Amino acid sequence: MSVLARARRILVVTNMWPADERDYTGIFVREQVEALRRAASHWTFDVLEIAGRRGRVDYLVAVPRVRRALRRGYDAVHAHYGLTGATVALARPSAPLLITLHGNDVNWGWQLPISRIGARRAAEVIAVSEQLRRSFGHERTRVLPCGVATDRFRPLDRSAARARLGIRADAVVVLFPAHPDNPIKDHALFRAALDALPPVIQERVVERTLGAVPPADVPLEMAVADVVVLTSVAEGSPMVVKEALACGTPVVSVDVGDVRRVLEGLPGCAIVARDAGALAAAIEASVVSGVPGAEGPATAERRRRVFELGLDAEAIARELLGTYDAAISRSANGRPASVPAD
């Protein structure tokens, strides 16, 4: 029987979920759930949110809530984030547990051992990048990033988009794809790179950020930019890089997360050292080599990379459905649902 032939009930437990249409928190988790619902419309996907704002206490308090939810009867439980996975593991689900690791749950020292508590009881451990998989060190951790909604993130007519946003036609639009106040994203390095640009380019630069931009308007910001610049201190598999490529927009980035795999060899894109001068040189090269307008071979090649790597939301959803089905089948056949402890 094919994956889509049999209805399943999946509980998604996450500490990342948008509170409203202006909230970015966990929007990639919501988009993944939406893609799963489209791909398997006769499956049921319920979502249980854990606040996580007060730290470890929120995860402990959530254990009884998870336990009550599990009584409704699910074929599998998918926990997003390692601390969330540990919470579900403490609730002792009878259904197979899958955990997706997103970054800080592995990269932050105190979170790593807690994430491993959940991994010991998980049927599948998923990391969103190869770097995270290696850092986590679990022999059966596999790589499966969150996918891009390529129907929303797509090339637009750049001239029309700039007119809509009131940006002059000859501007060099450089996008910082985060809130400037987030220290992990290192806006200070981004600003230093812009200050290191040649004066002839500096005088045309228009800096844009995603700080106050509603998620619904992010595709427009991505499409209007001449280049997106990522300066993060740490990342798992940054969605903004894949979203920019889906819009056909070049990306200049420090070597963080899985950006090397995603960007390497693409026209107008570069991976450089954490140095303002190196970033400025790459931004200048990207802008000088760019062709005005949204259409063209380079734009198409950047967008094509998303599909070639299977990073579109539909491809990720299909693979995840197969992963659920395999874990459920193993459990039904009496084989161990959980992976061995480290």
Side-chain angles (χ1 to χ4, degrees):
M1 183 177 290
S2 70
V3 169
L4 296 181
R6 180 183 298 170
R8 304 291 197 187
R9 286 176 54 82
I10 311 296
L11 177 63
V12 177
V13 186
T14 178
N15 63 347
M16 303 174 288
W17 193 265
D20 53 45
E21 293 307 310
R22 298 188 65 85
D23 188 7
Y24 284 93
T25 307
I27 193 168
F28 44 87
V29 178
R30 186 182 72 182
E31 289 176 344
Q32 184 176 95
V33 171
E34 290 171 350
L36 287 164
R37 286 170 173 160
R38 290 193 302 269
S41 58
H42 60 298
W43 287 35
T44 299
F45 295 91
D46 293 335
V47 177
L48 188 154
E49 300 174 51
I50 295 175
R53 297 182 186 91
R54 295 177 297 170
R56 289 168 246 200
V57 64
D58 280 344
Y59 296 96
L60 291 173
V61 168
V63 172
R65 287 181 55 223
V66 175
R67 194 173 288 139
R68 288 193 297 271
L70 292 171
R71 292 177 191 148
R72 300 175 198 146
Y74 290 97
D75 295 294
V77 186
H78 186 178
H80 281 273
Y81 207 77
L83 303 188
T84 306
T87 298
V88 178
L90 290 173
R92 303 188 69 82
S94 57
L97 168 62
L98 300 89
I99 300 173
T100 293
L101 305 169
H102 286 273
N104 289 341
D105 44 4
V106 175
N107 293 327
W108 286 14
W110 70 267
Q111 296 194 22
L112 178 58
I114 298 175
S115 297
R116 284 182 170 149
I117 292 172
R120 292 189 183 99
R121 289 188 55 82
E124 294 283 349
V125 181
I126 299 166
V128 295
S129 72
E130 175 61 26
Q131 180 195 50
L132 277 185
R133 188 194 70 78
R134 290 196 305 267
S135 297
F136 193 61
H138 198 295
E139 63 180 8
R140 291 185 59 186
T141 302
R142 57 175 300 199
V143 177
L144 186 63
C146 292
V148 180
T150 52
D151 57 333
R152 292 200 310 116
F153 291 92
R154 63 186 190 277
L156 300 175
D157 183 301
R158 189 171 296 173
S159 297
R162 289 189 173 194
R164 178 177 166 184
L165 294 175
I167 300 172
R168 66 183 190 271
D170 67 338
V172 174
V173 181
V174 185
L175 177 65
F176 180 74
H179 197 295
D181 292 342
N182 186 337
I184 294 176
K185 306 302 181 180
D186 201 350
H187 183 255
L189 178 58
F190 173 85
R191 277 299 324 164
L194 296 190
D195 290 342
L197 287 168
V200 69
I201 294 179
Q202 274 193 46
E203 64 188 17
R204 295 169 52 209
V205 164
V206 171
E207 176 189 346
R208 307 280 294 188
T209 79
L210 297 183
V213 178
D217 293 337
V218 172
L220 179 63
E221 294 287 345
M222 291 286 188
V224 80
D226 286 291
V227 60
V228 172
V229 180
L230 186 74
T231 52
S232 300
V233 175
E235 291 282 358
S237 178
M239 291 298 297
V240 290
V241 169
K242 294 170 279 188
E243 290 165 350
L245 295 185
C247 292
T249 302
V251 178
V252 168
S253 177
V254 295
D255 194 357
V256 65
D258 64 352
V259 295
R260 182 169 294 279
R261 170 177 177 261
V262 176
L263 294 181
E264 203 158 40
L266 285 177
C269 297
I271 302 149
V272 298
R274 296 192 57 80
D275 174 79
L279 282 161
I283 293 168
E284 180 183 5
S286 180
V287 170
V288 169
S289 67
V291 178
E295 300 300 329
T299 297
E301 185 176 349
R302 289 188 287 264
R303 179 171 170 83
R304 189 163 55 246
R305 176 65 61 86
V306 174
F307 295 96
E308 289 172 347
L309 295 179
L311 298 175
D312 56 294
E314 286 68 30
I316 297 297
R318 288 192 298 270
E319 189 165 351
L320 195 49
L321 288 169
T323 302
Y324 291 152
D325 211 54
I328 294 165
S329 297
R330 287 199 304 272
S331 179
N333 291 332
R335 294 167 61 188
S338 62
V339 296
D342 290 341

